[in-house]
């Protein structure tokens, strides 16, 4: 693969939140440092800004972020604002609300329904916008999402939000939210080496209903917010070698292979990794390769 010449449209497109987005997007979590949140060292701000601008040049038009994406010295939303405002008309910026981190970076109590407006307004301020294209309610272990999702639906009616999504949910939560307002996207943890039958069912339901499924930690896998996966199964390495690709690119290609409604949002503050991530959208797995990789999750087809 000649990564430098490949743009995000190679992955194909999906209609999300009223915009046609390329299926390879960008997750802002790692813009702020060597690992997410306060787990690593802060990134070079100028390099992070350059990475975002390069992403746009490469055709990325879907960015995922949140006000709680910050390290000791960096804020993902501030970097996005500085790099991209005024925003291109075809750029979709999605945010998540619900979780909360204090000024020291420690996780606090998740928002009550009546506090979600404050979370939305904080994202608006940081991004320098008067509305949010897509807002995900991140479920924080509560059994019901109805009250929280209802609060966001009211903000949608007020014009602060255009479209609504859900994150970290099970099928019951999707149905519960859909009884209140349309759900255009679901964002769950999903990776090649991190099987979860409940999320597999959510993926299937989203495909049947024309809802975007946006996995997070698709590259990091079990490493989660700390770092990208540095250990890869022999099957992943073999497929990568056959395509002249990296294991991370194979993981992204497999993710996209799970359905046309699946959108990848790999994140990085490294310009070389950005180019590689975007180029993964051009990698086409054979059916046999897909079966070999799917076996890592216990998939039979």
């Amino acid at each position: 693969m000649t990564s430098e010449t490949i743009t995000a449209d190679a992955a194909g497109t999906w209609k999300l939140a009223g915009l046609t987005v390329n299926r390879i997007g960008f997750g802002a979590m790692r813009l702020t440092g060597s690992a997410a949140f306060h787990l690593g060292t802060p990134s070079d701000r100028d390099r992070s800004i350059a990475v975002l601008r390069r992403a746009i040049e490469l055709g990325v038009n879907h960015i995922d972020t949140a006000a709680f994406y910050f390290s000791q010295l960096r804020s993902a939303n501030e970097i996005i604002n500085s790099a991209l405002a005024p925003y291109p008309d075809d750029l979709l910026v999605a945010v998540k609300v619900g979780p909360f981190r204090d000024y020291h970076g420690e996780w606090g109590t998740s928002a009550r329904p009546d506090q979600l407006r404050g979370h939305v307004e904080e994202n608006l301020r940081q991004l320098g916008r008067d509305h949010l294209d897509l807002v995900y309610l991140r479920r924080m272990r509560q059994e019901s999402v109805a009250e929280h999702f209802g609060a966001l639906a009211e903000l949608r009616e007020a014009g602060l939000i255009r479209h609504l999504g859900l994150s970290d949910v099970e099928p019951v939560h999707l149905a519960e939210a859909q009884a209140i307002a349309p759900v255009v996207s679901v964002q769950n943890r999903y990776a090649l080496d991190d099987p979860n039958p409940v999320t597999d069912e959510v993926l299937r339901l989203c495909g049947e209903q024309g809802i975007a499924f946006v996995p997070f930690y698709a590259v990091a896998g079990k490493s989660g917010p700390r770092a990208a996966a540095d250990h890869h199964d022999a099957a992943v390495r073999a497929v990568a070698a056959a395509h002249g690709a990296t294991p991370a690119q194979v993981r992204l290609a497999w993710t996209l292979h799970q359905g046309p409604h699946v959108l990848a949002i790999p994140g990085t503050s490294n310009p070389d990794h950005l180019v590689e991530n975007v180029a993964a959208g051009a990698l086409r797995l054979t059916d046999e390769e897909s079966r070999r990789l799917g076996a890592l999750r216990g998939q039979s087809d």
Side-chain angles (χ1 to χ4, degrees):
M1 296 175 65
T2 306
S3 296
E4 292 78 5
T5 64
I6 298 172
T7 52
D9 58 348
T13 63
W14 183 261
K15 193 69 172 288
L16 176 61
L19 294 172
T20 299
V21 300
N22 292 319
R23 292 178 62 216
I24 284 279
F26 184 88
M29 179 183 288
R30 299 183 190 279
L31 274 179
T32 63
S34 59
F37 311 126
H38 59 300
L39 300 174
T41 57
S43 63
D44 180 89
R45 183 174 179 276
D46 289 339
R47 189 173 82 155
S48 293
I49 287 175
V51 163
L52 272 175
R53 291 174 175 167
R54 180 59 175 150
I56 299 300
E57 292 174 358
L58 290 171
V60 171
N61 56 4
H62 171 206
I63 294 176
D64 182 84
T65 186
F68 54 85
Y69 286 178
F70 63 87
S71 65
Q72 292 94 330
L73 300 177
R74 302 284 177 260
S75 157
N77 281 356
E78 184 276 326
I79 292 172
I80 292 168
N81 189 350
S82 297
L84 303 181
Y87 300 95
D89 291 339
D90 65 345
L91 175 65
L92 169 64
V93 179
V95 308
K96 284 175 292 299
V97 297
F100 171 76
R101 293 173 66 211
D102 65 22
Y103 291 119
H104 301 288
E106 299 301 321
W107 292 102
T109 303
S110 302
R112 301 188 308 268
D114 62 300
Q115 294 175 319
L116 287 176
R117 184 181 185 110
H119 285 217
V120 167
E121 290 176 345
E122 181 63 16
N123 279 282
L124 289 169
R125 282 190 293 270
Q126 292 179 2
L127 291 167
R129 308 197 72 175
D130 59 8
H131 74 275
L132 297 173
D133 301 322
L134 169 59
V135 174
Y136 290 95
L137 171 65
R138 176 62 182 268
R139 184 177 74 95
M140 298 298 289
R141 296 179 294 278
Q142 66 263 39
E143 293 185 6
S144 170
V145 299
E147 195 173 355
H148 287 77
F149 196 77
L152 290 182
E154 291 178 3
L155 297 179
R156 175 175 171 265
E157 292 297 321
L160 296 182
I161 300 170
R162 296 283 173 83
H163 298 273
L164 298 174
L166 293 168
S167 179
D168 196 25
V169 295
E170 301 176 2
V172 64
H173 306 117
L174 175 59
E176 189 178 34
Q178 287 176 308
I180 298 169
V183 175
V184 302
S185 184
V186 173
Q187 189 176 111
N188 273 18
R189 184 169 185 156
Y190 184 80
L192 176 60
D193 57 354
D194 192 14
N196 184 324
V198 174
T199 289
D200 289 344
E201 177 64 8
V202 173
L203 169 67
R204 184 189 68 80
L205 289 171
C206 286
E208 289 181 353
Q209 299 177 31
I211 298 170
F213 181 83
V214 185
F216 59 88
Y217 298 152
V219 174
K222 294 180 180 179
S223 298
R226 294 189 175 274
D230 56 6
H231 172 75
H232 303 280
D233 186 271
V236 175
R237 298 197 302 271
V239 173
H243 287 271
T246 68
Q249 287 176 317
V250 169
R251 293 171 71 95
L252 287 171
W254 178 87
T255 301
L256 293 171
H257 191 79
Q258 303 312 300
H261 65 300
V262 178
L263 312 180
I265 49 168
T268 184
S269 59
N270 183 310
D272 294 330
H273 291 167
L274 168 70
V275 171
E276 291 178 359
N277 289 342
V278 170
L283 199 164
R284 301 292 184 263
L285 302 176
T286 67
D287 290 341
E288 190 274 335
E289 288 170 337
S290 181
R291 283 193 294 270
R292 287 172 60 195
L293 295 171
L296 300 177
R297 291 178 60 86
Q299 294 178 351
S300 59
D301 50 27

